[in-house]
Amino acid sequence: MLELLILCDEKQIKGIFKMVGEKARVLAEHGRTDILEKLKNHEVGYHTDFHSVHPTVSEYLERKGFREGAEQFHDNEFNGFQDVASITGMPIKCYGQPGFSWAPQAFPALLGWGIPVYLDTGRQITLHAKPYWYGGMLNFMDLPGLMRMELMEGGLEEAKRQFDDIYEKLSAQSIGFVSIVYHPNEFSTTEFWDLINFGEGKNTPRNEWRPAPLRPFGMMERYIRMLGQFIDYTLSKENVEYITSAQTLELEKSRKDELAPEHVRTLAANTGKDLYFQLFSGYSLSVSDLHSIFVSYLLGKPLVPELIYGPETAAESDIVTAVKVADLKAAISVPYPKVRGSYHLPDHFHIGEAKINPVDVTCTLAKVIREGLKDEDEVTVVRGSLRTQIHANEDDFWGNGWEIFPRDFRVPNIVRMSKLQTWTLKPAIF
């Protein structure tokens, strides 16, 4: 790690170092003030407390609901977050899961800790291979520019060719992102130590942990030099800059200010039975943003989009033809439940004697606004669907996704909840 920090400093670029809580504690215990001091020139992210020790994030959250899971993630991971922040003396700007141990319940906890960016790679939520907002965080998870220089003979020349190809494809965009990813241990060991100790669900006791075998003498330094040559090559291209996740937030330009009433009426006119995010006049609005705006419009509140997480379940609505507008407005006036300090949608809204799910309520709110209905009017309940769910992967078999998972590991509950949280999904604008 020290050699990588020195390299970044020599090249005058900022790296993003996502750190495990246990790693930070070991650095402190070993008195590695040299590493900790150099980290201050870079950005620090969080990478869970114990990474691969079972149960991993996906394993323990597969058994939990959304609110309960968010609390469990906080209980399991917050101490590590605090340790990384206090030991490095740096604010934590991003998070990435260990391996493919992703879960939607992590987002409310992370956001509550003040982490705004989710930086990693994953297949569960994808949006046209571009950055997106999900769970209230800016996500870089499915980038066509994900690459690395392989630490092997010929790796440098192949990486140059790969970078040239990515550079050419991204040149037509105003801003394109390339993510170059390494684990620091790759430069010094021939295997991952966690695979040795925790592979395929194994949980080796701490006093029996075995280190990974080291590379031959001089190989680490050789690969560090190769990486330096690769960095030089990337910087020789026009308009290439190494940035931090915090800087991506500054570059993201979707509007966050208050909408005008006529804008809300236009959004309602564009909202039918299939709920989907909308790009409108510089705004990127998730389905939950639209819901919050429609509610605010009808209740006479400021028309500012508000993050509201999706519900716990995809409940069915009662069979009812129409409801009174006054009853509908009374139902949306009731305070919503909370998860780690943020609102989330209830499974049902109680409208008169009927229980209506959030999808149908949102479609019906749009109809009320579209038709200019008054409190004394009745409105036909619109039966809708959450179309944004198409961006969630249906495959619940994750046993082959990460060598640390048990071979038979399945996550039907995580997949189900990932769909429900596409209420918060929307494109990032750069």
Side-chain angles (χ1 to χ4, degrees):
M1 183 181 238
L2 179 60
E3 295 301 320
L4 288 170
L5 287 163
I6 291 172
L7 176 66
C8 290
D9 289 345
E10 288 176 349
K11 301 303 179 183
Q12 298 183 334
I13 63 173
K14 287 187 178 294
I16 302 171
F17 290 83
K18 293 185 295 183
M19 191 169 293
V20 172
E22 181 68 1
K23 175 71 172 181
R25 291 187 290 270
V26 168
L27 289 175
E29 290 165 8
H30 291 182
R32 294 307 303 266
T33 55
D34 51 348
I35 291 177
L36 295 173
E37 190 60 33
K38 283 198 170 292
L39 274 171
K40 296 185 188 303
N41 297 328
H42 303 277
E43 182 177 272
V44 175
Y46 185 46
H47 200 42
T48 72
D49 199 12
F50 285 100
H51 199 279
S52 306
V53 177
H54 298 283
T56 62
V57 172
S58 296
E59 289 169 336
Y60 69 75
L61 291 184
E62 168 58 18
R63 302 186 293 268
K64 303 292 182 179
F66 188 63
R67 273 180 294 176
E68 184 186 16
E71 294 296 337
Q72 187 69 64
F73 184 87
H74 175 85
D75 291 346
N76 287 20
E77 311 297 344
F78 185 62
N79 286 343
F81 164 76
Q82 286 185 309
D83 286 345
V84 171
S86 63
I87 291 170
T88 65
M90 298 288 287
I92 308 303
K93 296 295 186 179
C94 64
Y95 170 84
Q97 81 276 351
F100 286 93
S101 200
W102 181 96
Q105 302 102 310
F107 286 83
L110 294 168
L111 199 63
W113 302 344
I115 301 179
V117 177
Y118 201 117
L119 175 63
D120 213 291
T121 182
R123 64 188 183 186
Q124 186 52 37
I125 302 294
T126 59
L127 189 61
H128 313 308
K130 291 184 177 181
Y132 57 82
W133 293 93
Y134 178 88
M137 298 175 70
L138 180 58
N139 285 250
F140 294 86
M141 291 290 285
D142 180 37
L143 299 179
L146 179 69
M147 68 160 297
R148 53 185 280 131
M149 181 196 73
E150 295 298 337
L151 305 182
M152 57 184 291
E153 191 69 35
L156 176 58
E157 293 308 313
E158 176 57 33
K160 288 179 179 179
R161 286 190 289 270
Q162 187 180 359
F163 183 80
D164 286 346
D165 183 56
I166 293 171
Y167 181 85
E168 180 68 25
K169 290 177 180 177
L170 295 180
S171 292
Q173 302 178 21
S174 58
I175 296 178
F177 296 97
V178 179
S179 185
I180 302 170
V181 182
Y182 291 99
H183 296 80
N185 68 284
E186 293 181 70
F187 293 86
S188 57
T189 65
T190 58
E191 294 183 65
F192 285 99
W193 86 281
D194 60 344
L195 179 58
I196 296 171
N197 294 287
F198 307 108
E200 298 187 1
K202 179 171 57 178
N203 225 9
T204 303
R206 188 179 185 119
N207 62 352
E208 297 178 18
W209 286 356
R210 292 185 293 130
L214 295 174
R215 291 188 183 276
F217 180 79
M219 292 302 292
M220 181 186 79
E221 291 78 7
R222 178 187 176 191
Y223 289 139
I224 292 286
R225 287 194 299 272
M226 281 176 57
L227 181 60
Q229 291 174 301
F230 177 63
I231 291 171
D232 287 340
Y233 183 78
T234 64
L235 290 171
S236 71
K237 302 286 187 177
E238 290 186 359
N239 300 316
V240 170
E241 180 182 358
Y242 283 75
I243 64 172
T244 63
S245 66
Q247 287 174 284
T248 66
L249 279 173
E250 297 172 3
L251 292 171
E252 207 279 339
K253 57 185 181 182
S254 59
R255 293 177 61 181
K256 310 293 192 298
D257 57 316
E258 187 171 353
L259 288 96
E262 59 270 22
H263 291 161
V264 180
R265 290 190 287 271
T266 299
L267 292 167
N270 293 334
T271 301
K273 295 181 178 180
D274 297 321
L275 294 179
Y276 202 63
F277 56 75
Q278 294 191 36
L279 296 173
F280 173 80
S281 191
Y283 293 93
S284 182
L285 299 168
S286 68
V287 177
S288 75
D289 288 333
L290 294 170
H291 176 92
S292 73
I293 292 166
F294 295 161
V295 167
S296 295
Y297 180 92
L298 290 173
L299 299 183
K301 297 180 178 180
L303 302 175
V304 180
E306 180 181 9
L307 171 67
I308 305 176
Y309 287 102
E312 286 275 357
T313 64
E316 293 291 329
S317 295
D318 287 347
I319 299 174
V320 59
T321 303
V323 296
K324 292 182 179 179
V325 172
D327 290 342
L328 176 61
K329 290 171 68 173
I332 60 176
S333 300
V334 175
Y336 290 11
K338 284 192 171 185
V339 51
R340 296 299 312 163
S342 296
Y343 290 112
H344 78 86
L345 290 162
D347 292 350
H348 288 107
F349 288 84
H350 294 268
I351 305 174
E353 299 297 319
K355 294 191 296 184
I356 310 297
N357 69 39
V359 169
D360 295 349
V361 165
T362 303
C363 294
T364 306
L365 292 173
K367 180 179 177 67
V368 171
I369 296 170
R370 195 165 55 241
E371 297 183 2
L373 300 179
K374 305 299 181 183
D375 286 2
E376 59 271 18
D377 294 326
E378 283 199 342
V379 58
T380 302
V381 175
V382 181
R383 307 294 177 179
S385 67
L386 186 63
R387 185 179 159 220
T388 47
Q389 293 183 99
I390 63 174
H391 297 289
N393 195 320
E394 295 275 0
D395 185 7
D396 69 4
F397 177 59
W398 286 14
N400 61 354
W402 187 29
E403 293 172 316
I404 303 303
F405 287 149
R407 293 299 89 190
D408 60 352
F409 185 49
R410 289 188 174 274
V411 290
N413 187 47
I414 284 176
V415 168
R416 178 188 66 82
M417 285 187 293
S418 75
K419 294 178 180 180
L420 289 170
Q421 297 314 315
T422 61
W423 275 86
T424 64
L425 179 66
K426 58 185 178 181
I429 301 177
F430 290 96

